[in-house]
Amino acid sequence: MDTNSAGQQRLNRWLLGIVTFLLIIIVAATMIFIRSNRPIQQAKKETVQMAEKYADLKTVDQFYWFNREKTYFTVTGENNNGEGIIVIVPKSGEKIRILNQKDGLNEGQAEKQFESEHPDLLFEKATLGIYRDQTSWEVTAKDDQGAIYYYLLAFNDGKELKVIKNI
């Protein structure tokens, strides 16, 4: 009986060790995830505050983080008059750009246009910002081999401004 009870204790300690190890892994992964999202959440918070102040933003639909030549933070939503607006804030915080959503393509339209022009590529995401002083959608896509493609499309008409292939 002593052998059986000693074996049971070893098994219990072993299971306790595994459970403790798994809990440590879960806690560490959660902390890494939370810390990695802080910059995005902070950027969104500051962008929304600026949009509320300078563009009378009332509701937020989307937030985009655009990195091309410079970094821009963009929010879409409605202003106090119920009009769809886009507010693009440079990382520097100067020269905020305010646009009417109706004056160009929304994300769904940009995706649909891209997919019709490039049926061989898989659309991944679209981000709105400024490229060479022009409001642009940056579309990220992949081919069936896993190569990444970037297309910069003009916000107003979807015209291709720049293409980066096979990354």
Side-chain angles (χ1 to χ4, degrees):
M1 290 221 170
D2 285 334
T3 309
N4 211 6
S5 121
Q8 185 66 38
Q9 285 180 344
R10 276 195 301 271
L11 179 62
N12 287 345
R13 276 192 232 134
W14 188 75
L15 288 174
L16 181 62
I18 289 175
V19 169
T20 302
F21 176 75
L22 290 175
L23 283 174
I24 290 170
I25 296 294
I26 291 169
V27 169
T30 302
M31 289 176 64
I32 290 169
F33 177 76
I34 290 170
R35 287 179 190 236
S36 69
N37 280 323
R38 276 190 191 157
I40 294 170
Q41 294 306 318
Q42 185 63 30
K44 180 178 179 180
K45 179 181 173 188
E46 291 174 12
T47 303
V48 168
Q49 287 173 343
M50 291 184 85
E52 288 171 345
K53 181 176 181 179
Y54 296 108
D56 295 325
L57 182 74
K58 182 139 178 112
T59 63
V60 176
D61 296 328
Q62 292 288 339
F63 171 76
Y64 302 100
W65 186 316
F66 183 94
N67 285 306
R68 210 24 54 208
E69 296 171 326
K70 295 179 181 175
T71 299
Y72 295 91
F73 306 115
T74 303
V75 289
T76 64
E78 289 186 355
N79 63 14
N80 290 333
N81 298 328
E83 300 165 330
I85 61 169
I86 298 165
V87 182
I88 303 174
V89 180
K91 186 176 183 182
S92 65
E94 57 194 44
K95 274 187 136 184
I96 295 172
R97 189 176 288 197
I98 303 167
L99 305 162
N100 288 318
Q101 287 185 24
K102 65 182 178 188
D103 292 339
L105 303 176
N106 65 32
E107 183 177 353
Q109 292 166 328
E111 178 180 354
K112 199 176 274 187
Q113 180 174 329
F114 175 82
E115 288 175 337
S116 71
E117 292 175 5
H118 304 282
D120 53 325
L121 297 175
L122 176 64
F123 176 90
E124 294 237 315
K125 70 174 184 165
T127 305
L128 188 60
I130 299 173
Y131 173 72
R132 295 194 177 160
D133 204 38
Q134 187 170 359
T135 305
S136 310
W137 283 103
E138 179 187 64
V139 173
T140 306
K142 283 187 177 178
D143 66 15
D144 56 0
Q145 307 291 293
I148 299 172
Y149 295 75
Y150 292 101
Y151 286 80
L152 286 157
L153 309 177
F155 165 73
N156 59 342
D157 61 6
K159 179 183 166 207
E160 288 182 8
L161 304 173
K162 184 173 182 168
V163 179
I164 303 170
K165 296 182 177 184
N166 280 329
I167 298 177

